[in-house]
């Protein structure tokens, strides 16, 4: 039949695409087709600079010198960060860096070790 996903609200298989949106004719639910393709099980997958999926508790390495806002400190290239936590938002990694303290990092500046 069609390769469109079922409705996330009522699980109807009769969904159709209208421009960039997917629509369910049974319950009237509309959702983004791009959000459907970028998510797995309803949660977005956070990936490192190389495209590897990250998980809570992973060890990552910083790939670029990062200035710490409000201080003269710099997180140097090659710094290992242990036991990361993934969070929602622009800065999607919550961690603690030795010698600097708690920080939020963007996943585009780290690679999985």
């Amino acid at each position: 039949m069609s390769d469109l996903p079922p409705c996330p609200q009522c699980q109807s298989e009769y969904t159709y695409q209208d421009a960039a949106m997917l629509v369910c004719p049974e319950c009237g639910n509309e959702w983004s087709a791009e959000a459907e393709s970028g998510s797995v099980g309803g949660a977005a997958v956070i990936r490192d600079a190389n495209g590897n999926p990250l998980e809570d508790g992973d060890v990552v390495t910083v790939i670029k010198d990062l200035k710490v806002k409000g201080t003269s400190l710099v997180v140097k290239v090659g710094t290992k960060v242990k036991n990361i936590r993934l969070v929602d938002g622009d800065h999607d990694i919550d961690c603690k860096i030795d010698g600097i303290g708690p920080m939020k990092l963007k996943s585009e500046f780290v690679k999985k070790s």
Side-chain angles (χ1 to χ4, degrees), residues 68 85 93-105:
V68 179
R85 281 189 322 257
I93 297 175
D94 212 6
C95 62
K96 186 174 181 182
I97 299 176
D98 293 337
I100 295 177
M103 283 193 71
K104 292 189 176 224
L105 298 173

Side-chain angles (χ1 to χ4, degrees), residues 1 52 87 110 112:
M1 196 155 159
N52 299 320
V87 294
V110 298
K112 197 171 184 177

Side-chain angles (χ1 to χ4, degrees), residues 64-95:
K64 177 182 175 184
D65 282 346
L66 302 172
K67 292 182 180 180
V68 179
K69 194 173 186 178
T71 69
S72 61
L73 298 173
V74 176
V75 179
K76 296 287 187 180
V77 172
T79 302
K80 285 202 179 225
V81 182
K82 300 176 185 174
N83 198 18
I84 65 170
R85 281 189 322 257
L86 302 178
V87 294
D88 291 333
D90 187 31
H91 291 73
D92 41 18
I93 297 175
D94 212 6
C95 62

Side-chain angles (χ1 to χ4, degrees), residues 4-16 22-31 36:
L4 296 175
C7 175
Q9 196 166 29
C10 70
Q11 301 303 318
S12 172
E13 61 185 34
Y14 301 111
T15 57
Y16 64 91
L22 294 173
V23 182
C24 176
E26 293 184 3
C27 69
N29 184 30
E30 295 182 3
W31 68 100
E36 186 69 33

